[in-house]
Protein backbone atom coordinates (compact mmCIF):
# COMPACT_ATOMS: atom_id res chain seq x y z
CA UNK A 1 0.00 0.00 0.00
CA UNK A 2 2.94 2.34 0.63
CA UNK A 3 3.79 2.34 -3.08
CA UNK A 4 0.32 3.67 -3.93
CA UNK A 5 -0.22 6.04 -0.99
CA UNK A 6 2.26 6.16 1.87
CA UNK A 7 -0.22 7.99 4.10
CA UNK A 8 -3.15 5.57 3.72
CA UNK A 9 -4.67 6.39 7.13
CA UNK A 10 -5.07 10.00 6.03
CA UNK A 11 -6.69 8.80 2.81
CA UNK A 12 -9.29 6.94 4.88
CA UNK A 13 -9.94 10.05 6.97
CA UNK A 14 -10.22 12.10 3.79
CA UNK A 15 -12.72 9.63 2.34
CA UNK A 16 -14.89 9.86 5.46
CA UNK A 17 -14.75 13.67 5.58
CA UNK A 18 -15.42 13.99 1.84
CA UNK A 19 -18.38 11.60 2.10
CA UNK A 20 -19.80 13.73 4.91
CA UNK A 21 -19.36 16.84 2.76
CA UNK A 22 -21.08 15.22 -0.22
CA UNK A 23 -24.03 14.01 1.84
CA UNK A 24 -24.38 17.40 3.53
CA UNK A 25 -24.32 19.09 0.13
CA UNK A 26 -27.03 16.80 -1.21
CA UNK A 27 -29.24 17.35 1.84
CA UNK A 28 -28.78 21.12 1.73
CA UNK A 29 -29.30 21.29 -2.03
CA UNK A 30 -32.85 20.08 -1.44
CA UNK A 31 -33.47 23.03 0.90
CA UNK A 32 -32.73 25.76 -1.66
CA UNK A 33 -34.34 27.99 -2.75
CA UNK A 34 -35.76 28.61 0.69
CA UNK A 35 -39.31 29.13 -0.55
CA UNK A 36 -39.28 25.68 -2.20
CA UNK A 37 -38.28 23.73 0.91
CA UNK A 38 -40.19 20.55 1.82
CA UNK A 39 -43.24 21.07 4.04
CA UNK A 40 -41.48 19.60 7.08
CA UNK A 41 -38.75 22.24 6.82
CA UNK A 42 -40.77 25.42 6.27
CA UNK A 43 -40.51 27.01 9.72
CA UNK A 44 -38.22 29.89 10.61
CA UNK A 45 -36.23 27.53 12.85
CA UNK A 46 -35.61 25.32 9.83
CA UNK A 47 -34.42 28.35 7.85
CA UNK A 48 -31.88 29.06 10.60
CA UNK A 49 -30.81 25.41 10.54
CA UNK A 50 -30.34 25.57 6.78
CA UNK A 51 -28.18 28.69 7.11
CA UNK A 52 -26.16 27.21 9.97
CA UNK A 53 -25.64 23.96 8.10
CA UNK A 54 -24.51 25.89 5.03
CA UNK A 55 -21.87 27.71 7.10
CA UNK A 56 -20.73 24.43 8.67
CA UNK A 57 -20.56 22.83 5.22
CA UNK A 58 -18.33 25.62 3.87
CA UNK A 59 -16.00 25.20 6.86
CA UNK A 60 -15.96 21.42 6.46
CA UNK A 61 -15.35 21.60 2.71
CA UNK A 62 -12.48 24.03 3.21
CA UNK A 63 -10.92 21.96 5.98
CA UNK A 64 -11.33 18.69 4.10
CA UNK A 65 -9.84 20.13 0.93
CA UNK A 66 -6.89 21.57 2.81
CA UNK A 67 -6.40 18.32 4.71
CA UNK A 68 -6.37 16.34 1.47
CA UNK A 69 -4.02 18.82 -0.18
CA UNK A 70 -1.50 18.71 2.67
CA UNK A 71 -1.65 15.00 3.49
CA UNK A 72 -2.23 13.11 0.23
CA UNK A 73 -0.74 12.70 -3.20
CA UNK A 74 -2.65 14.39 -6.00
CA UNK A 75 -3.50 11.04 -7.58
CA UNK A 76 -5.00 9.77 -4.31
CA UNK A 77 -6.91 13.01 -3.83
CA UNK A 78 -8.47 12.74 -7.28
CA UNK A 79 -9.30 9.03 -7.07
CA UNK A 80 -10.79 9.17 -3.57
CA UNK A 81 -12.69 12.36 -4.36
CA UNK A 82 -14.06 10.80 -7.54
CA UNK A 83 -15.21 7.69 -5.73
CA UNK A 84 -16.97 9.80 -3.11
CA UNK A 85 -18.77 11.83 -5.78
CA UNK A 86 -19.73 8.63 -7.56
CA UNK A 87 -21.15 6.75 -4.57
CA UNK A 88 -22.47 9.49 -2.26
CA UNK A 89 -25.82 9.81 -4.10
CA UNK A 90 -26.47 6.12 -3.39
CA UNK A 91 -25.88 6.70 0.31
CA UNK A 92 -28.15 9.75 0.15
CA UNK A 93 -30.96 7.68 -1.37
CA UNK A 94 -30.54 5.08 1.37
CA UNK A 95 -31.24 7.66 4.08
CA UNK A 96 -34.80 7.75 5.42
CA UNK A 97 -36.94 10.61 4.12
CA UNK A 98 -37.12 12.19 7.58
CA UNK A 99 -33.34 12.65 7.57
CA UNK A 100 -33.28 14.02 4.02
CA UNK A 101 -36.22 16.41 4.05
CA UNK A 102 -37.03 17.62 7.56
CA UNK A 103 -35.95 19.49 10.63
CA UNK A 104 -34.76 16.27 12.25
CA UNK A 105 -32.34 15.70 9.40
CA UNK A 106 -31.08 19.28 9.64
CA UNK A 107 -30.45 18.91 13.37
CA UNK A 108 -28.64 15.60 12.88
CA UNK A 109 -26.66 17.09 10.00
CA UNK A 110 -25.53 20.04 12.12
CA UNK A 111 -24.35 17.65 14.84
CA UNK A 112 -22.54 15.38 12.40
CA UNK A 113 -20.81 18.33 10.74
CA UNK A 114 -19.75 19.78 14.11
CA UNK A 115 -18.30 16.41 15.15
CA UNK A 116 -16.57 16.05 11.79
CA UNK A 117 -15.00 19.49 12.17
CA UNK A 118 -13.76 18.58 15.65
CA UNK A 119 -12.25 15.31 14.41
CA UNK A 120 -10.74 17.10 11.41
CA UNK A 121 -9.13 19.66 13.71
CA UNK A 122 -7.76 16.85 15.88
CA UNK A 123 -6.45 14.76 12.99
CA UNK A 124 -5.23 17.51 10.70
CA UNK A 125 -4.29 20.10 13.26
CA UNK A 126 -0.83 18.76 13.96
CA UNK A 127 0.24 18.75 10.33
CA UNK A 128 -1.14 22.27 9.79
CA UNK A 129 0.81 23.62 12.76
CA UNK A 130 3.98 22.01 11.42
CA UNK A 131 3.50 23.86 8.10
CA UNK A 132 3.68 27.31 9.74
Amino acid sequence: MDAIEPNWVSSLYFAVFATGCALAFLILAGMFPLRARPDTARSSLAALLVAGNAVLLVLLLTGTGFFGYTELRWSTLIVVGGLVVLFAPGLFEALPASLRDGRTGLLVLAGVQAIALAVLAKVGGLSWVAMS
Side-chain angles (χ1 to χ4, degrees), residues 17-77:
F17 295 139
T19 301
C21 289
L23 288 175
F25 174 79
L26 290 171
I27 291 170
L28 287 176
M31 300 294 169
F32 289 101
L34 290 177
R35 66 182 179 282
R37 285 177 290 168
D39 291 336
T40 57
R42 286 210 181 252
S43 68
S44 58
L45 173 65
L48 287 173
L49 284 171
V50 170
N53 275 314
V55 169
L56 286 172
L57 177 59
V58 168
L59 292 172
L60 188 59
L61 278 169
T62 304
T64 300
F66 191 69
F67 176 74
Y69 177 76
T70 57
E71 294 291 322
L72 302 175
R73 293 179 178 174
W74 274 103
S75 57
T76 305
L77 190 69

Side-chain angles (χ1 to χ4, degrees), residues 4-129:
I4 298 170
E5 174 57 58
N7 202 355
W8 62 273
V9 174
S10 290
S11 66
L12 292 176
Y13 277 119
F14 177 75
V16 170
F17 295 139
T19 301
C21 289
L23 288 175
F25 174 79
L26 290 171
I27 291 170
L28 287 176
M31 300 294 169
F32 289 101
L34 290 177
R35 66 182 179 282
R37 285 177 290 168
D39 291 336
T40 57
R42 286 210 181 252
S43 68
S44 58
L45 173 65
L48 287 173
L49 284 171
V50 170
N53 275 314
V55 169
L56 286 172
L57 177 59
V58 168
L59 292 172
L60 188 59
L61 278 169
T62 304
T64 300
F66 191 69
F67 176 74
Y69 177 76
T70 57
E71 294 291 322
L72 302 175
R73 293 179 178 174
W74 274 103
S75 57
T76 305
L77 190 69
I78 291 169
V79 169
V80 172
L83 288 171
V84 166
V85 169
L86 183 64
F87 290 107
L91 289 173
F92 173 74
E93 288 295 322
L95 291 174
S98 63
L99 289 179
R100 290 186 306 209
D101 298 330
R103 277 180 290 189
T104 306
L106 290 171
L107 283 170
V108 169
L109 181 61
V112 167
Q113 287 185 94
I115 291 170
L117 280 168
V119 171
L120 182 61
K122 177 78 171 158
V123 171
L126 296 175
S127 63
W128 298 339
V129 169

